[in-house]
Structure formats: structure tokens, C-alpha cells
Amino acid sequence: MVTYRSLGELEDAQDEERRAARLRIETAEEYIGHYRSRIDQVRETFHRLSANQGVVDDPGFRQELQRVSDTAGENVAYVRRRIDELEDEYDVMLREQDAQRENFLAERDDTD
């Protein structure tokens, strides 16, 4: 356990911890947005190419396109669950930081 010399030092460390956690969450959100965008572009390109080639109504093509779409949907759902877990962990961290701050203040008051 780290011992802080002042409330400001503790709060600075907690601020940095919160910033790092928020950055992880924001990065994951950006990733999922980029992934969705790229998958949509690929799907549109495949559909356009298949229309040009006359296979857009081919059952095999449609089945494969659906499989790719389903896999992409599963990937997005998985990342969304992970982001939700990161958000939950962030909330727990905030509660722990509040408790840590209160303990620091109580200990400081006890030594005064």
C-alpha cells in the first residue's frame, strides 16, 4: 500500500488513476465505433460487387454474407460487454477512492 504525505498527493494519484481508466473506456468506445464503420463499409462493398457480378441473390453468397454479419455482431456485442465491465470497474474504483480519501482524512485527524 502506498502512503501519501498529503491529501493533495492522494488526490493527484486518484485523478491520474481515473484519467487512465477513462482513457481505456474511451479508447474501447472509439474502437467499437471504428470497427462498426469498417464492417458496414465492407458489407456495402461486398453487396455492390455481388450485384455487379450478378450473385447478389445467390443463396450461398447471401448465407456467407449473413455469417460475416453475424460474426461482426457477436464481436460488437462482446466488446460492448467488456466496455460495460470497464464501466463497472470504474464505478468500483471511484467508491474505493472515496473510502481511501475518507480513511486518509480520518487518520490525519487522529494524528492531529
Side-chain angles (χ1 to χ4, degrees), residues 79-95:
V79 172
R80 183 74 253 159
R81 285 190 303 273
R82 282 296 300 136
I83 291 171
D84 290 345
E85 290 172 10
L86 289 173
E87 290 282 0
D88 291 344
E89 291 170 7
Y90 183 80
D91 291 341
V92 168
M93 180 190 67
L94 292 178
R95 288 190 297 276

Side-chain angles (χ1 to χ4, degrees), residues 93-104:
M93 180 190 67
L94 292 178
R95 288 190 297 276
E96 289 172 350
Q97 285 183 344
D98 286 344
Q100 186 181 25
R101 185 176 188 281
E102 292 302 318
N103 288 340
F104 180 88

Side-chain angles (χ1 to χ4, degrees), residues 3-107:
T3 303
Y4 297 98
R5 294 174 294 204
S6 69
L7 180 59
E9 189 178 281
L10 170 64
E11 290 173 339
D12 287 346
Q14 289 178 337
D15 287 346
E16 183 57 35
E17 189 177 12
R18 283 192 301 274
R19 272 192 295 278
R22 287 302 323 157
L23 180 60
R24 284 190 297 276
I25 293 167
E26 291 166 7
T27 300
E29 291 282 0
E30 289 173 11
Y31 167 80
I32 198 170
H34 179 72
Y35 179 81
R36 281 181 178 150
S37 174
R38 291 295 298 143
I39 288 298
D40 289 345
Q41 289 173 350
V42 168
R43 230 184 332 233
E44 289 170 10
T45 300
F46 281 156
H47 193 271
R48 196 170 39 254
L49 288 173
S50 68
N52 289 340
Q53 297 296 317
V55 296
V56 73
D57 293 323
D58 178 71
F61 171 79
R62 289 181 107 23
Q63 181 180 3
E64 193 59 25
L65 186 59
Q66 185 61 50
R67 185 188 69 75
V68 169
S69 294
D70 291 346
T71 299
E74 291 168 8
N75 291 341
V76 168
Y78 171 77
V79 172
R80 183 74 253 159
R81 285 190 303 273
R82 282 296 300 136
I83 291 171
D84 290 345
E85 290 172 10
L86 289 173
E87 290 282 0
D88 291 344
E89 291 170 7
Y90 183 80
D91 291 341
V92 168
M93 180 190 67
L94 292 178
R95 288 190 297 276
E96 289 172 350
Q97 285 183 344
D98 286 344
Q100 186 181 25
R101 185 176 188 281
E102 292 302 318
N103 288 340
F104 180 88
L105 292 171
E107 288 175 9

